[in-house]
Short mmCIF file of all heavy atoms in Angstrom, two decimals:
data_model
loop_
_atom_site.label_atom_id
_atom_site.label_comp_id
_atom_site.label_asym_id
_atom_site.label_seq_id
_atom_site.Cartn_x
_atom_site.Cartn_y
_atom_site.Cartn_z
N MET A 1 11.69 -29.92 -27.21
CA MET A 1 11.03 -28.74 -26.89
C MET A 1 9.80 -29.11 -26.10
O MET A 1 9.07 -30.04 -26.44
CB MET A 1 10.59 -28.02 -28.19
CG MET A 1 9.95 -26.64 -27.97
SD MET A 1 9.86 -25.79 -29.55
CE MET A 1 8.69 -24.60 -29.08
N ARG A 2 9.53 -28.38 -25.07
CA ARG A 2 8.39 -28.72 -24.15
C ARG A 2 7.05 -28.11 -24.74
O ARG A 2 7.04 -26.97 -25.21
CB ARG A 2 8.73 -28.02 -22.82
CG ARG A 2 7.71 -28.28 -21.75
CD ARG A 2 8.10 -27.66 -20.49
NE ARG A 2 7.08 -27.81 -19.50
CZ ARG A 2 7.21 -27.41 -18.28
NH1 ARG A 2 8.33 -26.92 -17.88
NH2 ARG A 2 6.25 -27.61 -17.42
N LYS A 3 6.02 -28.85 -24.71
CA LYS A 3 4.75 -28.49 -25.24
C LYS A 3 4.06 -27.65 -24.06
O LYS A 3 3.91 -28.07 -23.00
CB LYS A 3 3.87 -29.69 -25.61
CG LYS A 3 2.52 -29.24 -26.16
CD LYS A 3 1.81 -30.55 -26.62
CE LYS A 3 0.57 -30.23 -27.42
NZ LYS A 3 -0.45 -29.45 -26.90
N ARG A 4 3.58 -26.54 -24.45
CA ARG A 4 2.92 -25.60 -23.59
C ARG A 4 1.41 -25.66 -23.66
O ARG A 4 0.90 -25.83 -24.83
CB ARG A 4 3.42 -24.21 -23.74
CG ARG A 4 4.92 -24.08 -23.69
CD ARG A 4 5.44 -23.19 -22.68
NE ARG A 4 6.85 -23.06 -22.70
CZ ARG A 4 7.56 -23.71 -21.85
NH1 ARG A 4 7.13 -24.39 -20.90
NH2 ARG A 4 8.87 -23.54 -21.94
N ASN A 5 0.72 -25.48 -22.62
CA ASN A 5 -0.73 -25.42 -22.62
C ASN A 5 -1.18 -24.09 -23.03
O ASN A 5 -0.42 -23.06 -22.91
CB ASN A 5 -1.30 -25.66 -21.19
CG ASN A 5 -0.97 -27.11 -20.75
OD1 ASN A 5 -0.87 -28.01 -21.49
ND2 ASN A 5 -0.79 -27.17 -19.45
N LEU A 6 -2.38 -23.88 -23.60
CA LEU A 6 -2.88 -22.56 -23.95
C LEU A 6 -3.21 -21.95 -22.56
O LEU A 6 -3.77 -22.47 -21.71
CB LEU A 6 -4.14 -22.72 -24.79
CG LEU A 6 -3.86 -23.31 -26.18
CD1 LEU A 6 -5.27 -23.47 -26.87
CD2 LEU A 6 -3.04 -22.32 -27.06
N GLN A 7 -2.98 -20.61 -22.57
CA GLN A 7 -3.31 -19.85 -21.37
C GLN A 7 -4.86 -19.77 -21.18
O GLN A 7 -5.55 -19.52 -22.16
CB GLN A 7 -2.71 -18.51 -21.46
CG GLN A 7 -1.26 -18.47 -21.12
CD GLN A 7 -0.75 -17.12 -21.01
OE1 GLN A 7 -0.66 -16.33 -22.03
NE2 GLN A 7 -0.38 -16.63 -19.86
N PRO A 8 -5.38 -20.06 -20.04
CA PRO A 8 -6.85 -20.07 -19.84
C PRO A 8 -7.36 -18.64 -19.78
O PRO A 8 -6.62 -17.68 -19.59
CB PRO A 8 -7.03 -20.73 -18.54
CG PRO A 8 -5.72 -20.53 -17.81
CD PRO A 8 -4.62 -20.55 -18.89
N LYS A 9 -8.60 -18.48 -20.12
CA LYS A 9 -9.32 -17.17 -20.00
C LYS A 9 -10.07 -17.16 -18.64
O LYS A 9 -10.52 -18.20 -18.14
CB LYS A 9 -10.40 -17.11 -21.10
CG LYS A 9 -9.73 -17.21 -22.44
CD LYS A 9 -8.95 -15.96 -22.85
CE LYS A 9 -8.50 -16.15 -24.32
NZ LYS A 9 -7.38 -15.30 -24.63
N PHE A 10 -10.03 -16.00 -18.06
CA PHE A 10 -10.63 -15.88 -16.72
C PHE A 10 -11.73 -14.86 -16.71
O PHE A 10 -11.71 -13.88 -17.50
CB PHE A 10 -9.58 -15.47 -15.72
CG PHE A 10 -8.45 -16.35 -15.63
CD1 PHE A 10 -7.23 -16.08 -16.15
CD2 PHE A 10 -8.56 -17.61 -14.98
CE1 PHE A 10 -6.13 -16.94 -16.18
CE2 PHE A 10 -7.52 -18.46 -14.96
CZ PHE A 10 -6.26 -18.13 -15.48
N LYS A 11 -12.82 -15.14 -15.96
CA LYS A 11 -13.89 -14.16 -15.85
C LYS A 11 -13.64 -13.00 -14.81
O LYS A 11 -14.21 -11.94 -14.94
CB LYS A 11 -15.19 -14.90 -15.38
CG LYS A 11 -15.67 -15.91 -16.34
CD LYS A 11 -16.80 -16.66 -15.79
CE LYS A 11 -17.24 -17.74 -16.72
NZ LYS A 11 -18.24 -18.65 -16.22
N SER A 12 -12.73 -13.26 -13.89
CA SER A 12 -12.37 -12.17 -12.94
C SER A 12 -10.92 -12.36 -12.47
O SER A 12 -10.29 -13.36 -12.64
CB SER A 12 -13.32 -12.28 -11.71
OG SER A 12 -13.05 -13.48 -10.99
N GLU A 13 -10.48 -11.22 -11.93
CA GLU A 13 -9.15 -11.27 -11.34
C GLU A 13 -9.08 -12.27 -10.16
O GLU A 13 -8.01 -13.03 -9.98
CB GLU A 13 -8.75 -9.87 -10.77
CG GLU A 13 -7.29 -9.81 -10.31
CD GLU A 13 -6.89 -8.40 -9.94
OE1 GLU A 13 -7.43 -7.40 -10.41
OE2 GLU A 13 -6.01 -8.29 -9.11
N SER A 14 -10.08 -12.42 -9.42
CA SER A 14 -10.14 -13.39 -8.36
C SER A 14 -9.93 -14.81 -8.82
O SER A 14 -9.33 -15.60 -8.33
CB SER A 14 -11.50 -13.23 -7.52
OG SER A 14 -11.56 -14.15 -6.56
N GLU A 15 -10.64 -15.02 -9.93
CA GLU A 15 -10.64 -16.45 -10.50
C GLU A 15 -9.22 -16.74 -11.01
O GLU A 15 -8.77 -17.83 -10.81
CB GLU A 15 -11.63 -16.60 -11.68
CG GLU A 15 -11.65 -17.90 -12.34
CD GLU A 15 -12.65 -17.88 -13.48
OE1 GLU A 15 -13.64 -17.12 -13.57
OE2 GLU A 15 -12.40 -18.69 -14.45
N GLU A 16 -8.58 -15.77 -11.64
CA GLU A 16 -7.25 -15.82 -12.15
C GLU A 16 -6.31 -16.19 -10.98
O GLU A 16 -5.40 -16.94 -11.03
CB GLU A 16 -6.85 -14.60 -12.89
CG GLU A 16 -5.45 -14.76 -13.49
CD GLU A 16 -5.00 -13.55 -14.25
OE1 GLU A 16 -5.81 -12.57 -14.37
OE2 GLU A 16 -3.92 -13.58 -14.87
N ARG A 17 -6.45 -15.32 -9.86
CA ARG A 17 -5.43 -15.41 -8.76
C ARG A 17 -5.61 -16.89 -8.12
O ARG A 17 -4.63 -17.52 -7.87
CB ARG A 17 -5.95 -14.48 -7.62
CG ARG A 17 -5.03 -14.38 -6.49
CD ARG A 17 -5.43 -13.32 -5.53
NE ARG A 17 -5.51 -12.01 -6.02
CZ ARG A 17 -6.62 -11.24 -6.26
NH1 ARG A 17 -7.80 -11.93 -5.84
NH2 ARG A 17 -6.64 -10.12 -6.79
N LYS A 18 -6.78 -17.44 -8.04
CA LYS A 18 -7.03 -18.77 -7.49
C LYS A 18 -6.32 -19.82 -8.44
O LYS A 18 -5.70 -20.80 -7.96
CB LYS A 18 -8.46 -19.09 -7.31
CG LYS A 18 -9.11 -18.42 -6.18
CD LYS A 18 -10.60 -18.71 -6.13
CE LYS A 18 -11.34 -17.85 -5.03
NZ LYS A 18 -12.78 -18.10 -4.96
N PHE A 19 -6.53 -19.62 -9.71
CA PHE A 19 -5.90 -20.52 -10.65
C PHE A 19 -4.35 -20.56 -10.56
O PHE A 19 -3.76 -21.64 -10.40
CB PHE A 19 -6.30 -20.11 -12.08
CG PHE A 19 -5.62 -21.03 -13.19
CD1 PHE A 19 -6.20 -22.14 -13.56
CD2 PHE A 19 -4.39 -20.54 -13.84
CE1 PHE A 19 -5.57 -22.91 -14.47
CE2 PHE A 19 -3.79 -21.39 -14.72
CZ PHE A 19 -4.39 -22.58 -15.12
N TRP A 20 -3.67 -19.32 -10.51
CA TRP A 20 -2.24 -19.39 -10.46
C TRP A 20 -1.78 -19.79 -9.03
O TRP A 20 -0.48 -20.12 -8.96
CB TRP A 20 -1.70 -17.99 -10.84
CG TRP A 20 -1.93 -17.69 -12.25
CD1 TRP A 20 -2.70 -16.72 -12.81
CD2 TRP A 20 -1.48 -18.47 -13.31
NE1 TRP A 20 -2.64 -16.76 -14.22
CE2 TRP A 20 -1.87 -17.83 -14.59
CE3 TRP A 20 -0.55 -19.60 -13.46
CZ2 TRP A 20 -1.60 -18.35 -15.86
CZ3 TRP A 20 -0.28 -20.00 -14.80
CH2 TRP A 20 -0.78 -19.47 -15.92
N GLU A 21 -2.49 -19.80 -7.99
CA GLU A 21 -2.11 -20.28 -6.71
C GLU A 21 -1.88 -21.81 -6.79
O GLU A 21 -1.09 -22.34 -6.00
CB GLU A 21 -3.14 -19.99 -5.65
CG GLU A 21 -3.20 -18.46 -5.27
CD GLU A 21 -4.23 -18.22 -4.29
OE1 GLU A 21 -4.99 -19.04 -3.96
OE2 GLU A 21 -4.32 -17.06 -3.90
N THR A 22 -2.48 -22.51 -7.76
CA THR A 22 -2.41 -23.96 -7.82
C THR A 22 -1.78 -24.45 -9.09
O THR A 22 -1.75 -25.64 -9.23
CB THR A 22 -3.84 -24.57 -7.61
OG1 THR A 22 -4.71 -24.06 -8.71
CG2 THR A 22 -4.41 -24.26 -6.24
N HIS A 23 -1.29 -23.63 -10.03
CA HIS A 23 -0.79 -23.97 -11.33
C HIS A 23 0.64 -23.32 -11.40
O HIS A 23 0.78 -22.23 -11.00
CB HIS A 23 -1.62 -23.61 -12.40
CG HIS A 23 -2.84 -24.38 -12.45
ND1 HIS A 23 -4.00 -24.16 -11.59
CD2 HIS A 23 -3.31 -25.50 -13.16
CE1 HIS A 23 -4.99 -24.98 -11.82
NE2 HIS A 23 -4.58 -25.75 -12.79
N ASP A 24 1.46 -24.01 -12.12
CA ASP A 24 2.87 -23.52 -12.47
C ASP A 24 2.88 -22.78 -13.77
O ASP A 24 2.49 -23.39 -14.84
CB ASP A 24 3.80 -24.68 -12.48
CG ASP A 24 5.25 -24.23 -12.60
OD1 ASP A 24 5.55 -23.13 -13.06
OD2 ASP A 24 6.13 -25.10 -12.13
N SER A 25 3.30 -21.55 -13.84
CA SER A 25 3.28 -20.76 -15.04
C SER A 25 4.17 -21.32 -16.13
O SER A 25 3.94 -21.08 -17.30
CB SER A 25 3.66 -19.35 -14.74
OG SER A 25 5.02 -19.29 -14.32
N THR A 26 5.20 -22.17 -15.77
CA THR A 26 6.05 -22.67 -16.78
C THR A 26 5.32 -23.64 -17.66
O THR A 26 5.86 -24.06 -18.81
CB THR A 26 7.34 -23.45 -16.17
OG1 THR A 26 6.85 -24.40 -15.28
CG2 THR A 26 8.19 -22.39 -15.46
N ASP A 27 4.09 -24.19 -17.21
CA ASP A 27 3.37 -25.07 -18.11
C ASP A 27 2.65 -24.22 -19.19
O ASP A 27 2.11 -24.78 -20.17
CB ASP A 27 2.30 -25.78 -17.29
CG ASP A 27 2.89 -26.83 -16.38
OD1 ASP A 27 4.03 -27.27 -16.61
OD2 ASP A 27 2.30 -27.07 -15.32
N TYR A 28 2.60 -22.87 -19.01
CA TYR A 28 1.91 -22.00 -19.95
C TYR A 28 2.67 -21.03 -20.65
O TYR A 28 2.29 -20.43 -21.67
CB TYR A 28 0.73 -21.30 -19.14
CG TYR A 28 -0.25 -22.28 -18.56
CD1 TYR A 28 0.01 -22.85 -17.33
CD2 TYR A 28 -1.35 -22.65 -19.26
CE1 TYR A 28 -0.90 -23.79 -16.80
CE2 TYR A 28 -2.22 -23.52 -18.73
CZ TYR A 28 -2.00 -24.15 -17.46
OH TYR A 28 -2.84 -25.12 -16.94
N ILE A 29 3.80 -20.60 -19.99
CA ILE A 29 4.64 -19.51 -20.54
C ILE A 29 6.07 -19.96 -20.68
O ILE A 29 6.70 -20.69 -19.87
CB ILE A 29 4.62 -18.31 -19.53
CG1 ILE A 29 3.20 -17.88 -19.32
CG2 ILE A 29 5.53 -17.21 -20.02
CD1 ILE A 29 2.96 -16.83 -18.17
N ASP A 30 6.69 -19.66 -21.82
CA ASP A 30 8.07 -19.92 -22.08
C ASP A 30 8.95 -18.77 -21.53
O ASP A 30 9.12 -17.77 -22.20
CB ASP A 30 8.33 -20.17 -23.56
CG ASP A 30 9.75 -20.52 -23.85
OD1 ASP A 30 10.56 -20.64 -22.89
OD2 ASP A 30 10.09 -20.79 -25.05
N TRP A 31 9.36 -18.91 -20.31
CA TRP A 31 10.10 -17.83 -19.58
C TRP A 31 11.42 -17.59 -20.26
O TRP A 31 12.06 -16.51 -20.04
CB TRP A 31 10.20 -18.06 -18.14
CG TRP A 31 8.91 -17.91 -17.40
CD1 TRP A 31 8.12 -18.88 -16.88
CD2 TRP A 31 8.17 -16.63 -17.19
NE1 TRP A 31 6.95 -18.34 -16.42
CE2 TRP A 31 6.90 -16.98 -16.59
CE3 TRP A 31 8.42 -15.32 -17.52
CZ2 TRP A 31 6.00 -16.00 -16.24
CZ3 TRP A 31 7.50 -14.35 -17.19
CH2 TRP A 31 6.30 -14.73 -16.57
N SER A 32 12.01 -18.45 -21.01
CA SER A 32 13.30 -18.20 -21.72
C SER A 32 13.13 -17.12 -22.72
O SER A 32 14.14 -16.53 -23.14
CB SER A 32 13.76 -19.49 -22.40
OG SER A 32 13.04 -19.90 -23.44
N LYS A 33 11.95 -16.78 -23.13
CA LYS A 33 11.73 -15.74 -24.21
C LYS A 33 11.31 -14.36 -23.51
O LYS A 33 11.10 -13.44 -24.24
CB LYS A 33 10.64 -16.14 -25.20
CG LYS A 33 11.11 -17.38 -26.05
CD LYS A 33 9.95 -17.75 -26.96
CE LYS A 33 10.44 -18.99 -27.78
NZ LYS A 33 9.29 -19.49 -28.60
N ALA A 34 11.25 -14.37 -22.20
CA ALA A 34 10.88 -13.20 -21.46
C ALA A 34 11.91 -12.03 -21.61
O ALA A 34 13.06 -12.38 -21.69
CB ALA A 34 10.58 -13.50 -20.01
N GLU A 35 11.47 -10.81 -21.57
CA GLU A 35 12.24 -9.65 -21.68
C GLU A 35 11.96 -8.82 -20.50
O GLU A 35 10.93 -8.67 -20.05
CB GLU A 35 12.03 -8.89 -22.94
CG GLU A 35 12.34 -9.66 -24.22
CD GLU A 35 11.99 -8.80 -25.49
OE1 GLU A 35 12.01 -7.56 -25.30
OE2 GLU A 35 11.83 -9.35 -26.48
N ARG A 36 13.12 -8.24 -19.99
CA ARG A 36 12.98 -7.31 -18.86
C ARG A 36 12.44 -5.97 -19.37
O ARG A 36 12.82 -5.51 -20.39
CB ARG A 36 14.26 -7.04 -18.18
CG ARG A 36 14.22 -6.16 -16.91
CD ARG A 36 15.61 -6.04 -16.27
NE ARG A 36 16.03 -7.32 -15.77
CZ ARG A 36 15.93 -7.75 -14.52
NH1 ARG A 36 15.27 -6.90 -13.57
NH2 ARG A 36 16.28 -8.96 -14.06
N VAL A 37 11.44 -5.45 -18.69
CA VAL A 37 10.78 -4.13 -19.10
C VAL A 37 10.70 -3.19 -17.89
O VAL A 37 10.80 -3.72 -16.73
CB VAL A 37 9.46 -4.33 -19.68
CG1 VAL A 37 9.50 -5.12 -21.01
CG2 VAL A 37 8.44 -4.95 -18.72
N ARG A 38 10.67 -1.94 -18.17
CA ARG A 38 10.43 -0.90 -17.08
C ARG A 38 9.18 -0.24 -17.42
O ARG A 38 8.80 -0.02 -18.55
CB ARG A 38 11.69 0.00 -16.97
CG ARG A 38 12.89 -0.65 -16.57
CD ARG A 38 14.01 0.34 -16.49
NE ARG A 38 15.28 -0.28 -16.16
CZ ARG A 38 15.72 -0.27 -14.90
NH1 ARG A 38 15.19 0.28 -13.91
NH2 ARG A 38 16.94 -0.92 -14.68
N PHE A 39 8.46 0.25 -16.31
CA PHE A 39 7.31 0.98 -16.32
C PHE A 39 7.49 2.33 -15.74
O PHE A 39 6.99 2.48 -14.54
CB PHE A 39 6.05 0.26 -15.80
CG PHE A 39 5.79 -1.02 -16.51
CD1 PHE A 39 6.21 -2.25 -15.97
CD2 PHE A 39 5.12 -1.05 -17.76
CE1 PHE A 39 6.04 -3.46 -16.66
CE2 PHE A 39 4.81 -2.29 -18.34
CZ PHE A 39 5.25 -3.38 -17.83
N PRO A 40 8.17 3.28 -16.37
CA PRO A 40 8.57 4.49 -15.60
C PRO A 40 7.36 5.45 -15.28
O PRO A 40 7.53 6.20 -14.38
CB PRO A 40 9.45 5.20 -16.63
CG PRO A 40 8.95 4.66 -17.94
CD PRO A 40 8.60 3.29 -17.73
N ASN A 41 6.20 5.30 -15.87
CA ASN A 41 5.07 6.18 -15.59
C ASN A 41 4.04 5.60 -14.61
O ASN A 41 3.02 6.24 -14.34
CB ASN A 41 4.43 6.58 -16.94
CG ASN A 41 5.35 7.30 -17.80
OD1 ASN A 41 6.21 8.04 -17.31
ND2 ASN A 41 5.26 7.09 -19.10
N LEU A 42 4.42 4.45 -14.03
CA LEU A 42 3.43 3.90 -13.04
C LEU A 42 3.47 4.82 -11.72
O LEU A 42 4.52 5.30 -11.27
CB LEU A 42 3.81 2.55 -12.58
CG LEU A 42 3.64 1.46 -13.66
CD1 LEU A 42 4.08 0.05 -13.08
CD2 LEU A 42 2.12 1.40 -14.07
N LYS A 43 2.32 4.99 -11.24
CA LYS A 43 2.19 5.83 -9.97
C LYS A 43 2.44 4.91 -8.76
O LYS A 43 1.98 3.80 -8.79
CB LYS A 43 0.75 6.46 -9.91
CG LYS A 43 0.51 7.48 -11.00
CD LYS A 43 -0.83 8.04 -10.90
CE LYS A 43 -1.05 9.03 -11.99
NZ LYS A 43 -2.41 9.56 -12.02
N PRO A 44 3.07 5.43 -7.81
CA PRO A 44 3.37 4.60 -6.59
C PRO A 44 2.05 4.26 -5.85
O PRO A 44 1.17 5.08 -5.96
CB PRO A 44 4.25 5.41 -5.71
CG PRO A 44 4.24 6.80 -6.29
CD PRO A 44 3.76 6.74 -7.75
N SER A 45 2.07 3.20 -5.17
CA SER A 45 0.92 2.82 -4.39
C SER A 45 0.68 3.81 -3.31
O SER A 45 1.60 4.53 -2.74
CB SER A 45 1.23 1.49 -3.73
OG SER A 45 0.19 1.13 -2.78
N THR A 46 -0.52 4.06 -3.03
CA THR A 46 -0.93 4.98 -1.88
C THR A 46 -1.22 4.32 -0.56
O THR A 46 -1.53 4.86 0.36
CB THR A 46 -2.24 5.72 -2.31
OG1 THR A 46 -3.29 4.82 -2.52
CG2 THR A 46 -2.00 6.61 -3.51
N THR A 47 -0.96 2.97 -0.57
CA THR A 47 -1.15 2.21 0.64
C THR A 47 0.21 1.90 1.28
O THR A 47 1.04 1.31 0.76
CB THR A 47 -1.78 0.81 0.32
OG1 THR A 47 -3.05 1.11 -0.31
CG2 THR A 47 -2.08 0.04 1.62
N ALA A 48 0.39 2.37 2.49
CA ALA A 48 1.59 2.20 3.28
C ALA A 48 1.50 0.84 3.97
O ALA A 48 0.47 0.59 4.61
CB ALA A 48 1.85 3.33 4.17
N ILE A 49 2.63 0.13 3.96
CA ILE A 49 2.62 -1.17 4.72
C ILE A 49 3.88 -1.27 5.53
O ILE A 49 4.86 -0.54 5.22
CB ILE A 49 2.48 -2.49 3.81
CG1 ILE A 49 3.75 -2.49 2.86
CG2 ILE A 49 1.16 -2.42 3.04
CD1 ILE A 49 3.84 -3.85 2.15
N SER A 50 3.83 -2.09 6.60
CA SER A 50 4.97 -2.28 7.38
C SER A 50 5.26 -3.78 7.49
O SER A 50 4.27 -4.55 7.82
CB SER A 50 4.69 -1.64 8.76
OG SER A 50 5.73 -1.98 9.68
N ILE A 51 6.52 -4.11 7.23
CA ILE A 51 6.81 -5.59 7.44
C ILE A 51 8.17 -5.76 8.18
O ILE A 51 8.96 -4.83 8.18
CB ILE A 51 6.98 -6.31 6.01
CG1 ILE A 51 8.09 -5.71 5.15
CG2 ILE A 51 5.62 -6.35 5.29
CD1 ILE A 51 8.31 -6.48 3.87
N ARG A 52 8.25 -6.84 8.81
CA ARG A 52 9.50 -7.08 9.54
C ARG A 52 10.33 -8.13 8.77
O ARG A 52 9.78 -9.13 8.39
CB ARG A 52 9.18 -7.63 10.99
CG ARG A 52 8.63 -6.67 11.87
CD ARG A 52 8.30 -7.25 13.18
NE ARG A 52 7.62 -6.27 14.08
CZ ARG A 52 8.21 -5.57 15.04
NH1 ARG A 52 9.39 -5.79 15.31
NH2 ARG A 52 7.54 -4.79 15.76
N LEU A 53 11.63 -7.83 8.48
CA LEU A 53 12.42 -8.64 7.70
C LEU A 53 13.78 -8.87 8.51
O LEU A 53 14.21 -7.92 9.18
CB LEU A 53 12.78 -8.18 6.37
CG LEU A 53 11.75 -7.85 5.35
CD1 LEU A 53 12.28 -7.13 4.14
CD2 LEU A 53 11.12 -9.25 5.03
N PRO A 54 14.37 -10.08 8.46
CA PRO A 54 15.74 -10.24 9.09
C PRO A 54 16.63 -9.16 8.38
O PRO A 54 16.50 -9.04 7.09
CB PRO A 54 16.11 -11.68 8.72
CG PRO A 54 14.76 -12.36 8.49
CD PRO A 54 13.85 -11.30 7.95
N LEU A 55 17.62 -8.63 9.06
CA LEU A 55 18.49 -7.61 8.51
C LEU A 55 19.23 -8.19 7.28
O LEU A 55 19.36 -7.51 6.30
CB LEU A 55 19.38 -7.20 9.55
CG LEU A 55 20.39 -6.03 9.18
CD1 LEU A 55 19.55 -4.79 8.67
CD2 LEU A 55 21.24 -5.62 10.32
N GLY A 56 19.65 -9.49 7.39
CA GLY A 56 20.36 -10.00 6.22
C GLY A 56 19.59 -10.11 5.04
O GLY A 56 20.16 -9.78 3.83
N LEU A 57 18.33 -10.37 5.06
CA LEU A 57 17.42 -10.46 3.91
C LEU A 57 17.18 -9.03 3.34
O LEU A 57 17.27 -8.83 2.15
CB LEU A 57 16.10 -11.08 4.24
CG LEU A 57 14.99 -11.09 3.18
CD1 LEU A 57 15.44 -11.86 1.91
CD2 LEU A 57 13.76 -11.67 3.72
N PHE A 58 17.06 -8.11 4.21
CA PHE A 58 16.85 -6.70 3.82
C PHE A 58 18.08 -6.19 3.11
O PHE A 58 18.03 -5.59 2.01
CB PHE A 58 16.65 -5.80 5.06
CG PHE A 58 16.35 -4.39 4.62
CD1 PHE A 58 15.27 -4.01 3.89
CD2 PHE A 58 17.27 -3.43 5.07
CE1 PHE A 58 15.03 -2.66 3.61
CE2 PHE A 58 17.06 -2.08 4.78
CZ PHE A 58 15.97 -1.75 4.05
N GLU A 59 19.25 -6.47 3.53
CA GLU A 59 20.56 -6.14 2.83
C GLU A 59 20.70 -6.87 1.47
O GLU A 59 21.04 -6.18 0.50
CB GLU A 59 21.72 -6.54 3.73
CG GLU A 59 21.89 -5.69 4.99
CD GLU A 59 22.01 -4.26 4.79
OE1 GLU A 59 22.62 -3.77 3.77
OE2 GLU A 59 21.46 -3.42 5.59
N GLN A 60 20.22 -8.07 1.37
CA GLN A 60 20.14 -8.80 0.07
C GLN A 60 19.29 -8.12 -0.92
O GLN A 60 19.61 -7.93 -2.11
CB GLN A 60 19.87 -10.27 0.29
CG GLN A 60 21.01 -11.07 0.90
CD GLN A 60 20.45 -12.61 1.07
OE1 GLN A 60 19.27 -12.85 1.03
NE2 GLN A 60 21.41 -13.47 1.35
N ILE A 61 18.19 -7.75 -0.45
CA ILE A 61 17.23 -7.04 -1.30
C ILE A 61 17.79 -5.72 -1.83
O ILE A 61 17.63 -5.38 -3.06
CB ILE A 61 15.86 -6.78 -0.57
CG1 ILE A 61 15.13 -8.15 -0.28
CG2 ILE A 61 14.93 -5.84 -1.38
CD1 ILE A 61 14.03 -8.01 0.68
N LYS A 62 18.40 -4.91 -0.93
CA LYS A 62 19.04 -3.68 -1.36
C LYS A 62 20.09 -3.96 -2.41
O LYS A 62 20.16 -3.21 -3.46
CB LYS A 62 19.55 -2.95 -0.15
CG LYS A 62 18.59 -2.39 0.71
CD LYS A 62 18.99 -1.39 1.79
CE LYS A 62 20.40 -1.57 2.34
NZ LYS A 62 20.68 -0.80 3.40
N ILE A 63 20.91 -5.01 -2.20
CA ILE A 63 22.03 -5.28 -3.15
C ILE A 63 21.39 -5.61 -4.57
O ILE A 63 21.89 -5.17 -5.61
CB ILE A 63 22.97 -6.44 -2.66
CG1 ILE A 63 23.74 -5.86 -1.44
CG2 ILE A 63 23.82 -6.93 -3.71
CD1 ILE A 63 24.49 -6.96 -0.66
N CYS A 64 20.38 -6.52 -4.59
CA CYS A 64 19.73 -6.93 -5.75
C CYS A 64 19.13 -5.74 -6.52
O CYS A 64 19.16 -5.62 -7.76
CB CYS A 64 18.66 -7.97 -5.54
SG CYS A 64 19.27 -9.55 -5.08
N ARG A 65 18.55 -4.81 -5.72
CA ARG A 65 17.90 -3.61 -6.35
C ARG A 65 18.94 -2.73 -7.00
O ARG A 65 18.69 -2.15 -8.07
CB ARG A 65 17.17 -2.83 -5.23
CG ARG A 65 16.47 -1.65 -5.83
CD ARG A 65 15.35 -1.18 -4.88
NE ARG A 65 14.88 0.11 -4.99
CZ ARG A 65 14.46 0.72 -6.10
NH1 ARG A 65 14.63 0.16 -7.24
NH2 ARG A 65 13.94 1.92 -6.07
N GLN A 66 20.09 -2.58 -6.38
CA GLN A 66 21.16 -1.82 -6.98
C GLN A 66 21.75 -2.45 -8.28
O GLN A 66 22.19 -1.67 -9.15
CB GLN A 66 22.34 -1.62 -6.01
CG GLN A 66 21.96 -0.79 -4.78
CD GLN A 66 23.06 -0.85 -3.67
OE1 GLN A 66 24.00 -1.63 -3.79
NE2 GLN A 66 22.88 -0.02 -2.73
N GLN A 67 21.68 -3.67 -8.37
CA GLN A 67 22.23 -4.38 -9.53
C GLN A 67 21.26 -4.43 -10.69
O GLN A 67 21.65 -4.65 -11.90
CB GLN A 67 22.67 -5.93 -9.22
CG GLN A 67 23.77 -5.97 -8.27
CD GLN A 67 24.00 -7.38 -7.78
OE1 GLN A 67 23.26 -8.21 -8.05
NE2 GLN A 67 25.09 -7.59 -7.03
N ALA A 68 19.99 -4.17 -10.43
CA ALA A 68 18.90 -4.25 -11.52
C ALA A 68 19.00 -3.05 -12.45
O ALA A 68 19.41 -2.01 -12.16
CB ALA A 68 17.49 -4.37 -10.87
#
């Protein structure tokens, strides 16, 4: 069994973001115990974005979304 580190405490979301950019979550979280959850009452984002994706990748994303 792998020994996990204690999750660090952060003073701000920015500090947390910087930490996770350079650390692997598997050192802190046992993902084999994770459970899939849904948040049906979340409000959609009000920020519209535009991205360009290769058509093949876009089709893969649609297929994955249908299977979830």
Side-chain angles (χ1 to χ4, degrees):
M1 184 169 165
R2 183 176 176 175
K3 185 176 187 306
R4 308 238 181 257
N5 298 326
L6 293 175
Q7 285 186 288
K9 303 288 184 198
F10 303 103
K11 295 177 184 173
S12 67
E13 185 175 330
S14 175
E15 182 182 333
E16 181 177 5
R17 187 178 304 112
K18 288 178 185 176
F19 177 85
W20 290 119
E21 286 175 356
T22 59
H23 292 78
D24 188 335
S25 66
T26 58
D27 292 333
Y28 299 87
I29 300 167
D30 183 357
W31 287 110
S32 68
K33 295 179 182 175
E35 297 179 24
R36 185 176 294 263
V37 297
R38 292 184 184 259
F39 299 100
N41 297 324
L42 288 180
K43 295 180 181 177
S45 171
T46 57
T47 303
I49 64 169
S50 174
I51 60 173
R52 293 177 183 259
L53 297 174
L55 185 56
L57 176 58
F58 182 66
E59 292 299 326
Q60 288 177 344
I61 292 169
K62 289 190 332 187
I63 290 169
C64 288
R65 181 159 163 49
Q66 291 171 351
Q67 294 173 350

